[in-house]
């Protein structure tokens, strides 16, 4: 029996599909204005693993993960680059897909882009206005009237009165209530826009997910996921919009994954400990090391990223491939190990325990090899491959994997020093784009840099 922690109830609940044998799942995807970072990678790996496991449990899964291809960040970044917003969004969509492929992620069944759903968004906003949940504000925006939705705050455990007490009223706002949020933003001069009954504009972020999820999965579906910070306000607002527009329940199970911390600190650009997936992958023997690391913690808890942790994941994965090396193919999967794997995964996708099961099988394989029990070794190898497939691990040829080095230094020390100095100068001149470019160049050569307090930058080979 599969149990999943539901953020709505705060408890693990038996998963009961709305339609027997099916699981319909929507995950909030990436806003494509930059390369994806470690936080994104964790979210992507967590829900990839969940959809894999649901499928391997025999459910017919429809996995939808959207792409936000229009928002303020995209418009601002494109303007700064002198690039068309749509070209920037396409470029980073392609880059995201490359990174996802490197991490061994299955492509979602459906990957809608917000700008493909403008008609559905407009229809949903019209419905919300007709039902009295939304209003056209004086400034051309359309707002959702939070006080009209009695259940507001149920997912995040927030109370409307507390939220209102903390909300700042801005004079320029055309809101009836400081908690109201935007459904349709009227276009400023020069901004990309679409026609609507309320004038030219573009959708707010929250409404796009409600429109895309209900268009593709129906008004009421099984699972909705995203990282923890989306619980409020994004997911709270999705519930308010979808339930009000559809007049039905929306999502049965809400799932949220935890943070990535870097050396026990919050990851942020301002702290200089911000890593894109590309930065990290260039330093690794194989992208599978990052995947192993990311799933080695339970998806709901925090995960701490450090060089030491990554080196440990590399070592462990090497050990698993060493075990597989030389074992002959054609073995039978061990039902007891598979049963144990299913038991721990059925407990809210407990991947740390699942990896422990995998390591137990690897130990059996090593003993069988040492005792020259070829048939037992082949069975253990088949079991490792079968469990690995469900986790997105261990599907490579062991010989080829083991030959791969951990990455050689490509730049001389003097050259690295010069690049680090050039980056410091660029940042001092507030040319952060050039600073980021140099950082990326260094990362491409396997050099990681670390900005220390007091303006000192240290570098090291990954
Ligand atoms: Zn969303």
């Amino acid at each position: 029996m599969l149990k999943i922690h539901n953020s709505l109830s705060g408890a693990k609940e038996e998963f009961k599909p709305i339609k027997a044998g099916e699981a319909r799942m929507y995950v909030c995807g990436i806003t494509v204005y930059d390369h994806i970072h470690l936080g994104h990678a964790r979210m992507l790996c967590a829900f990839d693993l969940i959809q894999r496991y649901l499928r391997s449990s025999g459910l017919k899964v429809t996995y939808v993960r959207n792409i936000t291809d229009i928002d303020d960040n995209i418009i601002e970044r494109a303007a700064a680059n002198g690039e068309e917003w749509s070209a920037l969004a396409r470029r980073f969509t392609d880059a995201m897909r490359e990174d996802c492929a490197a991490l061994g992620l299955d492509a979602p069944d459906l990957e809608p882009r917000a700008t493909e759903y403008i008609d559905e968004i407009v229809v949903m906003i019209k419905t919300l206005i007709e039902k009295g949940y939304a209003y056209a504000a004086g400034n051309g925006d359309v707002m959702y009237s939070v006080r009209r939705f009695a259940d507001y705050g149920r997912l995040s455990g927030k109370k409307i009165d507390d939220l209102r007490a903390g909300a700042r009223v801005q004079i320029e706002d055309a809101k009836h209530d400081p908690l109201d949020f935007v459904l349709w933003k009227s276009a400023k001069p020069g901004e990309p826009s679409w026609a609507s009954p309320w004038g030219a504009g573009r959708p707010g972020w929250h409404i796009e997910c409600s429109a895309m999820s209900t268009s593709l999965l129906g008004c009421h579906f099984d699972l909705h996921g995203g990282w923890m910070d989306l619980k409020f306000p994004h997911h709270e607002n999705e519930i308010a919009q979808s339930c009000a527009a559809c007049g039905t329940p929306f999502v049965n199970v809400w799932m949220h994954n935890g943070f990535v911390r870097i050396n026990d600190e919050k990851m942020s650009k301002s702290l200089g400990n911000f890593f894109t997936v590309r930065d990290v992958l260039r330093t690794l023997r194989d992208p599978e090391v990052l995947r192993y690391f990311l799933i080695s913690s339970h998806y709901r808890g925090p995960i701490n990223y450090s060089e030491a942790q990554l080196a440990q994941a590399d070592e462990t994965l090497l050990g698993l491939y060493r075990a597989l090396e030389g074992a002959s193919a054609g073995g039978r999967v061990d039902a007891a190990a598979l049963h144990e794997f299913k038991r721990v995964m059925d407990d809210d996708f407990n991947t740390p325990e699942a990896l422990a099961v995998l390591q137990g099988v690897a130990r059996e394989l090593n003993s069988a090899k040492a005792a020259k029990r070829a048939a037992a070794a082949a069975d253990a190898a088949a079991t490792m491959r079968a469990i690995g497939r469900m986790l997105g691990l261990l599907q490579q040829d062991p010989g080829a994997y083991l030959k791969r080095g951990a990455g050689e230094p490509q730049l001389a020390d003097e050259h690295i020093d010069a690049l680090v100095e050039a980056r410091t100068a660029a940042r001092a001149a507030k040319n952060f784009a050039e600073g980021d470019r140099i950082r990326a160049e260094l990362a491409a050569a396997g050099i990681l840099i670390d900005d220390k307090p007091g303006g000192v930058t240290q570098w090291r080979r990954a």
Side-chain angles (χ1 to χ4, degrees), residues 109-123:
D109 298 297
L110 297 160
E111 199 176 31
R113 291 181 290 124
T115 57
E116 298 169 327
Y117 282 80
I118 302 292
D119 290 348
E120 288 81 355
I121 291 167
V122 167
V123 167

Side-chain angles (χ1 to χ4, degrees), residues 53 333-346 357 387:
Y53 187 69
V333 175
D334 173 18
L338 206 58
H339 184 266
E340 181 60 7
F341 172 78
K342 282 191 173 299
R343 188 186 68 76
V344 299
M345 287 295 283
D346 274 349
V357 173
I387 291 174

Side-chain angles (χ1 to χ4, degrees), residues 139-265:
N139 61 356
D141 292 352
V142 180
M143 295 287 171
Y144 188 97
S145 187
V146 167
R147 77 177 97 185
R148 285 279 291 113
F149 188 70
D151 245 6
Y152 196 80
R154 193 178 144 215
L155 175 68
S156 52
K158 294 183 190 288
K159 293 197 174 67
I160 284 202
D161 289 339
D162 296 348
L163 289 168
R164 189 171 289 121
R168 258 192 305 156
V169 183
Q170 288 175 315
I171 304 300
E172 70 270 23
D173 275 358
K175 296 177 182 181
H176 293 173
D177 183 306
L179 295 183
D180 293 352
F181 60 88
V182 71
L183 298 170
W184 186 262
K185 288 185 190 190
S186 71
K188 296 193 193 87
E191 281 186 352
S193 66
W194 288 261
S196 85
W198 317 285
R202 60 191 159 92
W205 174 39
H206 312 302
I207 193 75
E208 66 170 77
C209 280
S210 280
M212 287 186 277
S213 62
T214 56
S215 295
L216 293 168
L217 296 174
C219 276
H220 184 201
F221 56 92
D222 299 289
L223 301 152
H224 191 313
W227 78 298
M228 203 179 278
D229 262 16
L230 296 190
K231 201 188 278 185
F232 184 85
H234 184 56
H235 289 161
E236 200 71 72
N237 292 353
E238 277 191 49
I239 293 172
Q241 294 162 158
S242 300
C243 291
C246 289
T248 63
F250 176 36
V251 169
N252 280 7
V253 183
W254 284 89
M255 304 179 70
H256 293 97
N257 70 280
F259 299 103
V260 175
R261 294 173 61 79
I262 311 287
N263 294 315
D264 289 317
E265 282 185 315

Side-chain angles (χ1 to χ4, degrees), residues 60-385:
K60 178 177 175 285
V61 176
T62 309
Y63 173 33
V64 182
R65 192 183 67 218
N66 76 297
I67 294 173
T68 298
D69 62 345
I70 185 73
D71 92 322
D72 289 344
N73 288 312
I74 293 171
I75 294 170
E76 279 165 28
R77 186 66 64 91
N81 289 355
E83 188 177 13
E84 271 293 314
W85 67 271
S86 53
L88 177 111
R90 257 198 314 277
R91 196 155 61 81
F92 284 113
T93 300
D94 291 346
M96 172 198 69
R97 288 184 176 145
E98 282 171 28
D99 292 343
C100 287
L103 285 169
L105 303 179
D106 289 342
D109 298 297
L110 297 160
E111 199 176 31
R113 291 181 290 124
T115 57
E116 298 169 327
Y117 282 80
I118 302 292
D119 290 348
E120 288 81 355
I121 291 167
V122 167
V123 167
M124 191 175 240
I125 297 174
K126 271 191 197 164
T127 306
L128 289 170
I129 293 176
E130 281 160 20
K131 290 188 167 185
Y133 287 97
Y135 57 91
N139 61 356
D141 292 352
V142 180
M143 295 287 171
Y144 188 97
S145 187
V146 167
R147 77 177 97 185
R148 285 279 291 113
F149 188 70
D151 245 6
Y152 196 80
R154 193 178 144 215
L155 175 68
S156 52
K158 294 183 190 288
K159 293 197 174 67
I160 284 202
D161 289 339
D162 296 348
L163 289 168
R164 189 171 289 121
R168 258 192 305 156
V169 183
Q170 288 175 315
I171 304 300
E172 70 270 23
D173 275 358
K175 296 177 182 181
H176 293 173
D177 183 306
L179 295 183
D180 293 352
F181 60 88
V182 71
L183 298 170
W184 186 262
K185 288 185 190 190
S186 71
K188 296 193 193 87
E191 281 186 352
S193 66
W194 288 261
S196 85
W198 317 285
R202 60 191 159 92
W205 174 39
H206 312 302
I207 193 75
E208 66 170 77
C209 280
S210 280
M212 287 186 277
S213 62
T214 56
S215 295
L216 293 168
L217 296 174
C219 276
H220 184 201
F221 56 92
D222 299 289
L223 301 152
H224 191 313
W227 78 298
M228 203 179 278
D229 262 16
L230 296 190
K231 201 188 278 185
F232 184 85
H234 184 56
H235 289 161
E236 200 71 72
N237 292 353
E238 277 191 49
I239 293 172
Q241 294 162 158
S242 300
C243 291
C246 289
T248 63
F250 176 36
V251 169
N252 280 7
V253 183
W254 284 89
M255 304 179 70
H256 293 97
N257 70 280
F259 299 103
V260 175
R261 294 173 61 79
I262 311 287
N263 294 315
D264 289 317
E265 282 185 315
K266 191 174 187 288
M267 179 170 81
S268 82
K269 282 201 166 150
S270 58
L271 288 173
N273 64 1
F274 183 87
F275 295 98
T276 68
V277 168
R278 293 180 171 217
D279 287 344
V280 175
L281 291 187
R282 283 187 191 104
T283 69
L284 298 178
R285 183 184 315 278
D286 191 281
E288 200 173 320
V289 176
L290 182 57
R291 185 178 175 99
Y292 188 97
F293 165 72
L294 290 171
I295 67 174
S296 63
S297 296
H298 189 267
Y299 75 91
R300 282 195 294 119
I303 187 169
N304 189 42
Y305 173 92
S306 68
E307 215 177 325
Q309 298 274 14
L310 211 55
Q312 200 187 347
D314 182 38
E315 221 17 76
T316 308
L317 197 54
L318 275 176
L320 295 175
Y321 271 111
R322 277 190 202 110
L324 282 173
E325 195 188 25
S328 45
R332 282 169 311 166
V333 175
D334 173 18
L338 206 58
H339 184 266
E340 181 60 7
F341 172 78
K342 282 191 173 299
R343 188 186 68 76
V344 299
M345 287 295 283
D346 274 349
D347 182 17
D348 196 26
F349 312 100
N350 194 333
T351 51
E353 297 267 346
L355 292 174
V357 173
L358 194 57
Q359 281 164 21
V361 181
R363 281 192 295 276
E364 281 172 28
L365 175 46
N366 285 331
S367 320
K369 275 162 65 177
K372 306 225 182 308
R373 292 185 287 123
D379 290 351
T383 308
M384 281 180 72
R385 294 272 195 197

